[in-house]
Amino acid sequence: MNAAKEKSVKAIVQDRYGGFEVLALKDLAEPAIGDGEVLVQVVAAGLHIGDVFAVRGSPFPVRMLSGVSRPKYGVPGYDLAGRVAAVGSGVTRLKPGDEVFGVCRWPKAGACAEYSRAASDGLVHKPAELTFEAAAAIPTSASAALHGLRDAGRLQAGQHVLINGASGGVGTFAVQIAKALGAEVTAVCSTRNVELVRSLGADHVIDYTKEDFTKAGQGYDLIVDNIENRSLSEVRRALTPNGTLVLNSGTGAGGLRLLARLVRPVVLSPFVGHNLRRYLSTPNQADLQFLRALVEKGQLRPVIDTTYPLSETAAALRHIESGRARGKVVVAVAA
Ligand SMILES: NC(=O)c1ccc[n+]([C@@H]2O[C@H](COP(=O)([O-])OP(=O)(O)OC[C@H]3O[C@@H](n4cnc5c(N)ncnc54)[C@H](OP(=O)(O)O)[C@@H]3O)[C@@H](O)[C@H]2O)c1
């Protein structure tokens, strides 16, 4: 193994679940890597709502991964971009010095640290066109957009798709990916984000402060709902008779109410003309390559709302939890 010299690294660490005050900047031992793994010198970490869930330990099922009573490792962040510092045995595709982006081995590692541990198949080469901050914004949110449109939504070129919540982390990617897949795109957002989603390629924009997309009288082949602020019957009336609704919000409810909201559409789907779907997206190497190719073709550009320094990771997570981010929130870990 070509391991880097052992040293301590700065990382954001939580030793218990709770509010963002549980996060502290500490020195940790540099992560050890095993066969098929890569040590990444992290330049930037991309954050999303799942990272908020992990710090809070809520919804409870997140603890099945990270530790039931307290976090086992406790460094937040899944998405990263940086430079390969060392590779474990069996890794031939990547070498020290390569610029990469992808996902770390969370919860055994975390992206909000100077060095992190990743499976080699969780990383791909960073497109030269992107900064590390922009590349770190891609993995989870762009994969969720791709999997929602292409896999759960089975989007075909020429179809008309509506994206509710088009200005957020997933939505800003979804607008661009839907255009790249050949769809006609209607984006739903607030007044302040109309120009943003238009600049991403949306053919039509519905400002939800002025117009109700469920009453627009238009039949959409596919609706990707990142917000789920409307009832199922209200959203379904905006679909074509055999259209597909992809539900994509794990936020805004808790406990049994959340469970009912997650399960009800899936149970109902076989009994109605519409396809009602949920999906769980995990970034994978093939799709990270696909997203990288879209960047290289000029069809995908991450929208960054704010970049925070590592010491302000708590503020970055608070920003995400507000539900008001325009695009992505990123943490700059190193230069
Ligand atoms: N299925 C999966 O595997 C998977 C993976 C990743 C994420 N997700 C889910 O995807 C959802 C979206 O994530 P995200 O990162 O895109 O969220 P986000 O970045 O927090 O979304 C924030 C955006 O939503 C807009 N917004 C707020 N209220 C709205 C409304 N009523 N109508 C339309 N837009 C509204 C906000 O702008 P304004 O406030 O100005 O409107 C803001 O730009 C989350 O629920 C997350 O859990 C699922």
Side-chain angles (χ1 to χ4, degrees), residues 200-266:
L200 299 175
D203 301 289
H204 319 276
V205 182
I206 295 178
D207 176 345
Y208 71 78
T209 68
K210 298 181 178 153
E211 201 185 339
D212 179 348
F213 77 87
T214 70
K215 291 184 182 154
Q218 174 80 46
Y220 299 98
D221 301 297
L222 172 64
I223 295 178
V224 174
D225 192 349
N226 294 312
I227 306 290
E228 292 193 46
N229 57 330
R230 310 301 301 270
S231 73
L232 212 45
S233 54
E234 285 172 329
V235 181
R236 282 178 55 208
R237 74 180 170 213
L239 286 170
T240 55
N242 54 3
T244 299
L245 171 60
V246 172
L247 295 153
N248 188 34
S249 176
T251 50
L256 287 177
R257 242 168 36 85
L258 176 61
L259 190 66
R261 198 178 79 182
L262 292 177
V263 169
R264 190 168 159 260
V266 182

Short mmCIF file of all heavy atoms in Angstrom, two decimals, residues 200-266:
data_model
loop_
_atom_site.label_atom_id
_atom_site.label_comp_id
_atom_site.label_asym_id
_atom_site.label_seq_id
_atom_site.Cartn_x
_atom_site.Cartn_y
_atom_site.Cartn_z
N LEU A 200 -30.89 28.47 -16.27
CA LEU A 200 -30.47 27.06 -16.31
C LEU A 200 -31.12 26.31 -17.46
O LEU A 200 -30.84 25.14 -17.67
CB LEU A 200 -30.83 26.37 -14.97
CG LEU A 200 -30.17 26.97 -13.73
CD1 LEU A 200 -30.69 26.29 -12.47
CD2 LEU A 200 -28.65 26.86 -13.82
N GLY A 201 -32.05 26.98 -18.17
CA GLY A 201 -32.62 26.37 -19.38
C GLY A 201 -34.10 26.06 -19.29
O GLY A 201 -34.65 25.49 -20.24
N ALA A 202 -34.76 26.39 -18.17
CA ALA A 202 -36.20 26.09 -18.08
C ALA A 202 -36.95 26.77 -19.22
O ALA A 202 -36.74 27.95 -19.50
CB ALA A 202 -36.74 26.55 -16.73
N ASP A 203 -37.85 26.02 -19.87
CA ASP A 203 -38.64 26.58 -20.98
C ASP A 203 -39.77 27.46 -20.45
O ASP A 203 -40.15 28.43 -21.08
CB ASP A 203 -39.25 25.45 -21.82
CG ASP A 203 -38.17 24.55 -22.40
OD1 ASP A 203 -37.47 25.00 -23.32
OD2 ASP A 203 -38.00 23.41 -21.91
N HIS A 204 -40.33 27.06 -19.31
CA HIS A 204 -41.43 27.81 -18.69
C HIS A 204 -41.15 27.88 -17.19
O HIS A 204 -40.60 26.93 -16.63
CB HIS A 204 -42.78 27.11 -18.89
CG HIS A 204 -42.95 26.53 -20.27
ND1 HIS A 204 -43.38 27.28 -21.34
CD2 HIS A 204 -42.72 25.27 -20.75
CE1 HIS A 204 -43.41 26.51 -22.42
NE2 HIS A 204 -43.02 25.30 -22.09
N VAL A 205 -41.54 28.98 -16.58
CA VAL A 205 -41.34 29.11 -15.14
C VAL A 205 -42.67 29.48 -14.50
O VAL A 205 -43.37 30.38 -14.98
CB VAL A 205 -40.28 30.19 -14.81
CG1 VAL A 205 -40.06 30.26 -13.29
CG2 VAL A 205 -38.96 29.88 -15.51
N ILE A 206 -43.03 28.78 -13.44
CA ILE A 206 -44.22 29.13 -12.66
C ILE A 206 -43.74 29.69 -11.32
O ILE A 206 -43.05 28.99 -10.56
CB ILE A 206 -45.14 27.91 -12.44
CG1 ILE A 206 -45.70 27.42 -13.79
CG2 ILE A 206 -46.27 28.24 -11.46
CD1 ILE A 206 -46.57 26.19 -13.70
N ASP A 207 -44.09 30.95 -11.07
CA ASP A 207 -43.75 31.59 -9.80
C ASP A 207 -44.85 31.20 -8.81
O ASP A 207 -46.00 31.63 -8.94
CB ASP A 207 -43.69 33.11 -10.01
CG ASP A 207 -43.45 33.87 -8.72
OD1 ASP A 207 -43.59 33.29 -7.63
OD2 ASP A 207 -43.12 35.08 -8.82
N TYR A 208 -44.49 30.37 -7.82
CA TYR A 208 -45.54 29.82 -6.96
C TYR A 208 -46.19 30.86 -6.06
O TYR A 208 -47.24 30.61 -5.47
CB TYR A 208 -45.02 28.63 -6.12
CG TYR A 208 -44.04 28.95 -5.00
CD1 TYR A 208 -44.46 29.48 -3.79
CD2 TYR A 208 -42.68 28.69 -5.15
CE1 TYR A 208 -43.57 29.75 -2.76
CE2 TYR A 208 -41.77 28.97 -4.14
CZ TYR A 208 -42.23 29.50 -2.94
OH TYR A 208 -41.33 29.78 -1.93
N THR A 209 -45.59 32.05 -5.98
CA THR A 209 -46.22 33.11 -5.17
C THR A 209 -47.37 33.77 -5.96
O THR A 209 -48.17 34.50 -5.40
CB THR A 209 -45.22 34.20 -4.74
OG1 THR A 209 -44.80 34.93 -5.90
CG2 THR A 209 -44.00 33.62 -4.03
N LYS A 210 -47.41 33.50 -7.28
CA LYS A 210 -48.43 34.14 -8.13
C LYS A 210 -49.36 33.14 -8.78
O LYS A 210 -50.46 33.49 -9.19
CB LYS A 210 -47.75 34.96 -9.24
CG LYS A 210 -46.89 36.08 -8.68
CD LYS A 210 -46.26 36.87 -9.79
CE LYS A 210 -45.44 38.02 -9.21
NZ LYS A 210 -44.36 38.40 -10.09
N GLU A 211 -48.90 31.90 -8.96
CA GLU A 211 -49.67 30.93 -9.73
C GLU A 211 -49.54 29.54 -9.10
O GLU A 211 -48.48 29.20 -8.55
CB GLU A 211 -49.09 30.89 -11.16
CG GLU A 211 -50.03 30.36 -12.20
CD GLU A 211 -49.35 30.24 -13.57
OE1 GLU A 211 -48.32 30.94 -13.80
OE2 GLU A 211 -49.82 29.46 -14.38
N ASP A 212 -50.63 28.77 -9.21
CA ASP A 212 -50.67 27.43 -8.61
C ASP A 212 -50.45 26.41 -9.71
O ASP A 212 -51.29 26.27 -10.61
CB ASP A 212 -52.06 27.27 -7.96
CG ASP A 212 -52.24 25.91 -7.32
OD1 ASP A 212 -51.41 25.01 -7.56
OD2 ASP A 212 -53.23 25.76 -6.59
N PHE A 213 -49.34 25.68 -9.66
CA PHE A 213 -49.04 24.76 -10.77
C PHE A 213 -50.06 23.64 -10.88
O PHE A 213 -50.24 23.05 -11.94
CB PHE A 213 -47.61 24.20 -10.67
CG PHE A 213 -47.40 23.11 -9.64
CD1 PHE A 213 -47.63 21.77 -9.96
CD2 PHE A 213 -46.96 23.40 -8.37
CE1 PHE A 213 -47.41 20.75 -9.03
CE2 PHE A 213 -46.75 22.40 -7.42
CZ PHE A 213 -46.98 21.08 -7.74
N THR A 214 -50.76 23.34 -9.79
CA THR A 214 -51.74 22.24 -9.85
C THR A 214 -53.03 22.70 -10.54
O THR A 214 -53.88 21.89 -10.86
CB THR A 214 -52.09 21.70 -8.45
OG1 THR A 214 -52.85 22.68 -7.74
CG2 THR A 214 -50.85 21.34 -7.65
N LYS A 215 -53.14 24.03 -10.76
CA LYS A 215 -54.35 24.54 -11.42
C LYS A 215 -54.02 25.17 -12.77
O LYS A 215 -54.85 25.88 -13.34
CB LYS A 215 -55.02 25.59 -10.53
CG LYS A 215 -55.63 25.01 -9.26
CD LYS A 215 -56.35 26.08 -8.48
CE LYS A 215 -56.90 25.50 -7.19
NZ LYS A 215 -57.07 26.51 -6.16
N ALA A 216 -52.81 24.95 -13.27
CA ALA A 216 -52.39 25.63 -14.50
C ALA A 216 -53.08 25.05 -15.73
O ALA A 216 -52.98 25.61 -16.83
CB ALA A 216 -50.87 25.58 -14.64
N GLY A 217 -53.75 23.91 -15.59
CA GLY A 217 -54.50 23.33 -16.70
C GLY A 217 -53.64 22.59 -17.70
O GLY A 217 -54.09 22.14 -18.74
N GLN A 218 -52.38 22.46 -17.40
CA GLN A 218 -51.42 21.81 -18.30
C GLN A 218 -51.24 20.36 -17.86
O GLN A 218 -51.11 20.09 -16.67
CB GLN A 218 -50.09 22.57 -18.18
CG GLN A 218 -48.93 21.98 -18.92
CD GLN A 218 -48.96 22.34 -20.39
OE1 GLN A 218 -49.17 23.48 -20.74
NE2 GLN A 218 -48.76 21.35 -21.23
N GLY A 219 -51.22 19.39 -18.76
CA GLY A 219 -50.95 18.01 -18.37
C GLY A 219 -49.47 17.70 -18.54
O GLY A 219 -48.94 17.77 -19.64
N TYR A 220 -48.81 17.37 -17.44
CA TYR A 220 -47.38 17.04 -17.52
C TYR A 220 -47.20 15.52 -17.59
O TYR A 220 -47.89 14.77 -16.89
CB TYR A 220 -46.63 17.60 -16.30
CG TYR A 220 -46.73 19.11 -16.22
CD1 TYR A 220 -47.68 19.71 -15.40
CD2 TYR A 220 -45.92 19.91 -17.01
CE1 TYR A 220 -47.80 21.09 -15.34
CE2 TYR A 220 -46.04 21.29 -16.96
CZ TYR A 220 -46.97 21.87 -16.14
OH TYR A 220 -47.09 23.23 -16.10
N ASP A 221 -46.26 15.07 -18.43
CA ASP A 221 -45.95 13.64 -18.50
C ASP A 221 -45.28 13.18 -17.22
O ASP A 221 -45.43 12.04 -16.79
CB ASP A 221 -45.01 13.36 -19.68
CG ASP A 221 -45.61 13.79 -21.00
OD1 ASP A 221 -46.65 13.23 -21.37
OD2 ASP A 221 -45.06 14.72 -21.64
N LEU A 222 -44.49 14.09 -16.63
CA LEU A 222 -43.74 13.74 -15.42
C LEU A 222 -43.68 14.96 -14.50
O LEU A 222 -43.45 16.08 -14.98
CB LEU A 222 -42.30 13.32 -15.82
CG LEU A 222 -41.29 13.10 -14.69
CD1 LEU A 222 -41.70 11.94 -13.79
CD2 LEU A 222 -39.90 12.83 -15.27
N ILE A 223 -43.91 14.72 -13.23
CA ILE A 223 -43.68 15.78 -12.23
C ILE A 223 -42.66 15.22 -11.24
O ILE A 223 -42.83 14.12 -10.70
CB ILE A 223 -44.97 16.17 -11.48
CG1 ILE A 223 -45.97 16.81 -12.46
CG2 ILE A 223 -44.67 17.11 -10.31
CD1 ILE A 223 -47.31 17.20 -11.84
N VAL A 224 -41.59 15.97 -11.03
CA VAL A 224 -40.63 15.64 -9.97
C VAL A 224 -40.86 16.65 -8.86
O VAL A 224 -40.66 17.85 -9.05
CB VAL A 224 -39.18 15.70 -10.48
CG1 VAL A 224 -38.20 15.49 -9.33
CG2 VAL A 224 -38.95 14.64 -11.56
N ASP A 225 -41.33 16.14 -7.72
CA ASP A 225 -41.73 17.03 -6.63
C ASP A 225 -40.70 16.99 -5.50
O ASP A 225 -40.67 16.07 -4.69
CB ASP A 225 -43.12 16.62 -6.13
CG ASP A 225 -43.71 17.68 -5.20
OD1 ASP A 225 -42.98 18.60 -4.80
OD2 ASP A 225 -44.90 17.56 -4.87
N ASN A 226 -39.87 18.02 -5.45
CA ASN A 226 -38.83 18.12 -4.42
C ASN A 226 -39.35 18.75 -3.13
O ASN A 226 -38.60 18.85 -2.17
CB ASN A 226 -37.67 18.99 -4.93
CG ASN A 226 -36.94 18.35 -6.08
OD1 ASN A 226 -36.60 17.18 -6.01
ND2 ASN A 226 -36.72 19.11 -7.14
N ILE A 227 -40.60 19.21 -3.14
CA ILE A 227 -41.11 19.97 -2.00
C ILE A 227 -42.23 19.22 -1.27
O ILE A 227 -42.26 19.20 -0.04
CB ILE A 227 -41.63 21.36 -2.46
CG1 ILE A 227 -40.54 22.12 -3.24
CG2 ILE A 227 -42.11 22.18 -1.26
CD1 ILE A 227 -39.36 22.61 -2.43
N GLU A 228 -43.15 18.63 -2.03
CA GLU A 228 -44.30 17.89 -1.46
C GLU A 228 -45.10 18.76 -0.49
O GLU A 228 -45.40 18.35 0.63
CB GLU A 228 -43.83 16.59 -0.80
CG GLU A 228 -43.30 15.57 -1.79
CD GLU A 228 -43.13 14.19 -1.18
OE1 GLU A 228 -44.02 13.71 -0.50
OE2 GLU A 228 -42.05 13.61 -1.40
N ASN A 229 -45.40 19.97 -0.93
CA ASN A 229 -46.20 20.88 -0.10
C ASN A 229 -47.67 20.85 -0.49
O ASN A 229 -48.46 21.62 0.03
CB ASN A 229 -45.64 22.31 -0.22
CG ASN A 229 -45.60 22.80 -1.66
OD1 ASN A 229 -45.46 22.01 -2.58
ND2 ASN A 229 -45.72 24.09 -1.84
N ARG A 230 -48.05 20.00 -1.46
CA ARG A 230 -49.42 19.90 -1.92
C ARG A 230 -49.91 18.48 -1.71
O ARG A 230 -49.11 17.55 -1.65
CB ARG A 230 -49.51 20.28 -3.42
CG ARG A 230 -48.84 21.58 -3.78
CD ARG A 230 -49.43 22.75 -3.01
NE ARG A 230 -50.83 22.88 -3.26
CZ ARG A 230 -51.35 23.63 -4.24
NH1 ARG A 230 -50.55 24.32 -5.04
NH2 ARG A 230 -52.65 23.69 -4.42
N SER A 231 -51.25 18.33 -1.66
CA SER A 231 -51.78 16.98 -1.47
C SER A 231 -51.54 16.17 -2.74
O SER A 231 -51.37 16.73 -3.84
CB SER A 231 -53.27 17.03 -1.15
OG SER A 231 -53.99 17.37 -2.32
N LEU A 232 -51.57 14.86 -2.56
CA LEU A 232 -51.36 13.96 -3.70
C LEU A 232 -52.41 14.21 -4.79
O LEU A 232 -52.09 14.26 -5.98
CB LEU A 232 -51.49 12.52 -3.18
CG LEU A 232 -50.66 11.42 -3.83
CD1 LEU A 232 -49.22 11.84 -4.03
CD2 LEU A 232 -50.76 10.17 -2.97
N SER A 233 -53.68 14.40 -4.39
CA SER A 233 -54.73 14.58 -5.40
C SER A 233 -54.54 15.91 -6.13
O SER A 233 -54.77 16.00 -7.34
CB SER A 233 -56.12 14.47 -4.77
OG SER A 233 -56.22 15.37 -3.70
N GLU A 234 -54.08 16.94 -5.43
CA GLU A 234 -53.84 18.23 -6.10
C GLU A 234 -52.74 18.08 -7.15
O GLU A 234 -52.87 18.57 -8.28
CB GLU A 234 -53.42 19.29 -5.08
CG GLU A 234 -54.56 19.81 -4.22
CD GLU A 234 -54.07 20.70 -3.09
OE1 GLU A 234 -52.94 20.50 -2.58
OE2 GLU A 234 -54.83 21.59 -2.69
N VAL A 235 -51.66 17.41 -6.79
CA VAL A 235 -50.54 17.29 -7.74
C VAL A 235 -50.93 16.38 -8.90
O VAL A 235 -50.60 16.66 -10.06
CB VAL A 235 -49.27 16.76 -7.03
CG1 VAL A 235 -48.11 16.66 -8.01
CG2 VAL A 235 -48.87 17.69 -5.89
N ARG A 236 -51.68 15.32 -8.60
CA ARG A 236 -52.05 14.37 -9.67
C ARG A 236 -52.90 15.02 -10.74
O ARG A 236 -52.85 14.61 -11.91
CB ARG A 236 -52.77 13.16 -9.06
CG ARG A 236 -51.80 12.17 -8.42
CD ARG A 236 -52.55 11.01 -7.79
NE ARG A 236 -53.42 10.35 -8.74
CZ ARG A 236 -54.54 9.71 -8.42
NH1 ARG A 236 -54.91 9.62 -7.17
NH2 ARG A 236 -55.27 9.14 -9.35
N ARG A 237 -53.68 16.04 -10.39
CA ARG A 237 -54.53 16.64 -11.43
C ARG A 237 -53.71 17.44 -12.45
O ARG A 237 -54.22 17.81 -13.50
CB ARG A 237 -55.64 17.49 -10.80
CG ARG A 237 -55.21 18.80 -10.23
CD ARG A 237 -56.39 19.56 -9.65
NE ARG A 237 -55.89 20.70 -8.90
CZ ARG A 237 -56.45 21.19 -7.81
NH1 ARG A 237 -57.54 20.67 -7.33
NH2 ARG A 237 -55.92 22.24 -7.21
N ALA A 238 -52.44 17.67 -12.17
CA ALA A 238 -51.58 18.35 -13.15
C ALA A 238 -50.89 17.37 -14.09
O ALA A 238 -50.12 17.78 -14.97
CB ALA A 238 -50.54 19.19 -12.42
N LEU A 239 -51.12 16.06 -13.92
CA LEU A 239 -50.48 15.05 -14.77
C LEU A 239 -51.35 14.70 -15.97
O LEU A 239 -52.59 14.83 -15.90
CB LEU A 239 -50.27 13.75 -13.98
CG LEU A 239 -49.15 13.72 -12.93
CD1 LEU A 239 -49.28 12.44 -12.09
CD2 LEU A 239 -47.77 13.80 -13.56
N THR A 240 -50.74 14.19 -17.03
CA THR A 240 -51.52 13.55 -18.10
C THR A 240 -52.17 12.29 -17.51
O THR A 240 -51.75 11.83 -16.45
CB THR A 240 -50.59 13.15 -19.28
OG1 THR A 240 -49.56 12.32 -18.75
CG2 THR A 240 -49.98 14.35 -19.97
N PRO A 241 -53.18 11.70 -18.20
CA PRO A 241 -53.90 10.57 -17.60
C PRO A 241 -53.00 9.41 -17.16
O PRO A 241 -53.30 8.75 -16.18
CB PRO A 241 -54.87 10.14 -18.71
CG PRO A 241 -55.10 11.40 -19.49
CD PRO A 241 -53.80 12.15 -19.46
N ASN A 242 -51.92 9.15 -17.89
CA ASN A 242 -51.03 8.07 -17.42
C ASN A 242 -49.63 8.61 -17.07
O ASN A 242 -48.63 7.92 -17.21
CB ASN A 242 -50.96 6.91 -18.43
CG ASN A 242 -50.58 7.41 -19.80
OD1 ASN A 242 -50.32 8.61 -19.97
ND2 ASN A 242 -50.56 6.52 -20.78
N GLY A 243 -49.62 9.84 -16.58
CA GLY A 243 -48.35 10.48 -16.23
C GLY A 243 -47.73 9.91 -14.96
O GLY A 243 -48.35 9.13 -14.24
N THR A 244 -46.50 10.35 -14.69
CA THR A 244 -45.73 9.82 -13.55
C THR A 244 -45.40 10.94 -12.57
O THR A 244 -44.99 12.03 -12.98
CB THR A 244 -44.41 9.18 -14.06
OG1 THR A 244 -44.75 8.11 -14.93
CG2 THR A 244 -43.55 8.66 -12.92
N LEU A 245 -45.61 10.63 -11.30
CA LEU A 245 -45.24 11.58 -10.24
C LEU A 245 -44.12 10.96 -9.43
O LEU A 245 -44.27 9.88 -8.86
CB LEU A 245 -46.46 11.84 -9.34
CG LEU A 245 -46.20 12.63 -8.05
CD1 LEU A 245 -45.64 14.01 -8.34
CD2 LEU A 245 -47.50 12.76 -7.24
N VAL A 246 -42.98 11.65 -9.41
CA VAL A 246 -41.85 11.18 -8.61
C VAL A 246 -41.76 12.07 -7.38
O VAL A 246 -41.56 13.28 -7.48
CB VAL A 246 -40.54 11.24 -9.43
CG1 VAL A 246 -39.34 10.93 -8.54
CG2 VAL A 246 -40.60 10.25 -10.57
N LEU A 247 -41.95 11.45 -6.23
CA LEU A 247 -41.97 12.19 -4.96
C LEU A 247 -40.58 12.12 -4.34
O LEU A 247 -40.00 11.05 -4.20
CB LEU A 247 -43.03 11.58 -4.05
CG LEU A 247 -44.44 11.77 -4.63
CD1 LEU A 247 -45.37 10.68 -4.15
CD2 LEU A 247 -44.96 13.14 -4.27
N ASN A 248 -40.09 13.28 -3.95
CA ASN A 248 -38.67 13.34 -3.59
C ASN A 248 -38.41 14.22 -2.38
O ASN A 248 -37.39 14.87 -2.30
CB ASN A 248 -37.88 13.88 -4.79
CG ASN A 248 -36.40 13.78 -4.57
OD1 ASN A 248 -35.93 12.84 -3.93
ND2 ASN A 248 -35.65 14.75 -5.06
N SER A 249 -39.32 14.24 -1.42
CA SER A 249 -39.01 15.05 -0.25
C SER A 249 -39.08 14.24 1.02
O SER A 249 -40.11 13.66 1.34
CB SER A 249 -39.96 16.23 -0.14
OG SER A 249 -39.67 16.92 1.06
N GLY A 250 -37.98 14.20 1.73
CA GLY A 250 -37.95 13.52 3.03
C GLY A 250 -38.06 14.52 4.16
O GLY A 250 -37.84 14.19 5.32
N THR A 251 -38.42 15.77 3.84
CA THR A 251 -38.44 16.81 4.88
C THR A 251 -39.87 17.28 5.13
O THR A 251 -40.79 16.93 4.42
CB THR A 251 -37.58 18.01 4.45
OG1 THR A 251 -37.96 18.38 3.14
CG2 THR A 251 -36.11 17.66 4.44
N GLY A 252 -40.06 18.05 6.19
CA GLY A 252 -41.34 18.70 6.43
C GLY A 252 -42.34 17.85 7.20
O GLY A 252 -43.47 18.27 7.40
N ALA A 253 -41.97 16.67 7.65
CA ALA A 253 -42.84 15.86 8.50
C ALA A 253 -41.94 14.97 9.36
O ALA A 253 -40.74 14.86 9.11
CB ALA A 253 -43.78 15.00 7.65
N GLY A 254 -42.53 14.35 10.38
CA GLY A 254 -41.73 13.48 11.25
C GLY A 254 -42.58 12.31 11.72
O GLY A 254 -43.79 12.29 11.55
N GLY A 255 -41.92 11.33 12.31
CA GLY A 255 -42.59 10.20 12.95
C GLY A 255 -43.54 9.48 12.02
O GLY A 255 -43.25 9.26 10.85
N LEU A 256 -44.76 9.16 12.56
CA LEU A 256 -45.72 8.37 11.79
C LEU A 256 -46.26 9.13 10.59
O LEU A 256 -46.58 8.56 9.56
CB LEU A 256 -46.88 7.94 12.69
CG LEU A 256 -46.53 6.83 13.69
CD1 LEU A 256 -47.72 6.52 14.60
CD2 LEU A 256 -46.04 5.57 12.98
N ARG A 257 -46.32 10.48 10.74
CA ARG A 257 -46.81 11.30 9.62
C ARG A 257 -45.87 11.18 8.42
O ARG A 257 -46.29 11.09 7.28
CB ARG A 257 -46.93 12.77 10.06
CG ARG A 257 -48.37 13.28 10.00
CD ARG A 257 -48.58 14.60 10.69
NE ARG A 257 -47.50 15.57 10.62
CZ ARG A 257 -47.30 16.43 9.61
NH1 ARG A 257 -48.11 16.44 8.58
NH2 ARG A 257 -46.30 17.28 9.64
N LEU A 258 -44.58 11.17 8.72
CA LEU A 258 -43.59 11.02 7.65
C LEU A 258 -43.71 9.62 7.03
O LEU A 258 -43.72 9.47 5.80
CB LEU A 258 -42.17 11.24 8.18
CG LEU A 258 -41.04 11.00 7.16
CD1 LEU A 258 -41.18 11.95 5.97
CD2 LEU A 258 -39.67 11.17 7.80
N LEU A 259 -43.86 8.61 7.87
CA LEU A 259 -43.97 7.24 7.37
C LEU A 259 -45.19 7.12 6.45
O LEU A 259 -45.09 6.55 5.35
CB LEU A 259 -44.09 6.27 8.56
CG LEU A 259 -43.98 4.79 8.18
CD1 LEU A 259 -42.58 4.47 7.67
CD2 LEU A 259 -44.30 3.91 9.39
N ALA A 260 -46.32 7.68 6.90
CA ALA A 260 -47.55 7.60 6.08
C ALA A 260 -47.33 8.32 4.76
O ALA A 260 -47.72 7.83 3.69
CB ALA A 260 -48.71 8.22 6.85
N ARG A 261 -46.68 9.48 4.83
CA ARG A 261 -46.47 10.23 3.59
C ARG A 261 -45.55 9.48 2.63
O ARG A 261 -45.73 9.53 1.42
CB ARG A 261 -45.87 11.61 3.93
CG ARG A 261 -46.01 12.59 2.80
CD ARG A 261 -45.46 13.94 3.15
NE ARG A 261 -44.02 13.95 3.04
CZ ARG A 261 -43.27 15.00 3.32
NH1 ARG A 261 -43.82 16.11 3.78
NH2 ARG A 261 -41.97 14.95 3.18
N LEU A 262 -44.56 8.78 3.20
CA LEU A 262 -43.63 8.05 2.34
C LEU A 262 -44.30 6.85 1.69
O LEU A 262 -44.10 6.57 0.51
CB LEU A 262 -42.42 7.57 3.17
CG LEU A 262 -41.48 8.66 3.70
CD1 LEU A 262 -40.38 8.05 4.56
CD2 LEU A 262 -40.85 9.47 2.57
N VAL A 263 -45.16 6.16 2.46
CA VAL A 263 -45.69 4.88 1.99
C VAL A 263 -46.95 5.03 1.13
O VAL A 263 -47.13 4.30 0.15
CB VAL A 263 -45.96 3.97 3.22
CG1 VAL A 263 -46.75 2.72 2.84
CG2 VAL A 263 -44.65 3.61 3.90
N ARG A 264 -47.83 5.98 1.48
CA ARG A 264 -49.16 6.06 0.86
C ARG A 264 -49.12 6.07 -0.68
O ARG A 264 -49.83 5.28 -1.31
CB ARG A 264 -49.88 7.30 1.41
CG ARG A 264 -51.33 7.34 1.03
CD ARG A 264 -52.11 8.41 1.80
NE ARG A 264 -53.30 8.71 1.05
CZ ARG A 264 -53.46 9.75 0.25
NH1 ARG A 264 -52.49 10.65 0.12
NH2 ARG A 264 -54.56 9.94 -0.43
N PRO A 265 -48.33 6.92 -1.31
CA PRO A 265 -48.36 6.94 -2.78
C PRO A 265 -47.93 5.62 -3.40
O PRO A 265 -48.48 5.21 -4.42
CB PRO A 265 -47.34 8.05 -3.13
CG PRO A 265 -46.98 8.72 -1.87
CD PRO A 265 -47.40 7.89 -0.73
N VAL A 266 -46.97 4.96 -2.78
CA VAL A 266 -46.45 3.71 -3.34
C VAL A 266 -47.53 2.62 -3.26
O VAL A 266 -47.71 1.82 -4.18
CB VAL A 266 -45.17 3.30 -2.57
CG1 VAL A 266 -44.58 2.03 -3.16
CG2 VAL A 266 -44.16 4.43 -2.59
#
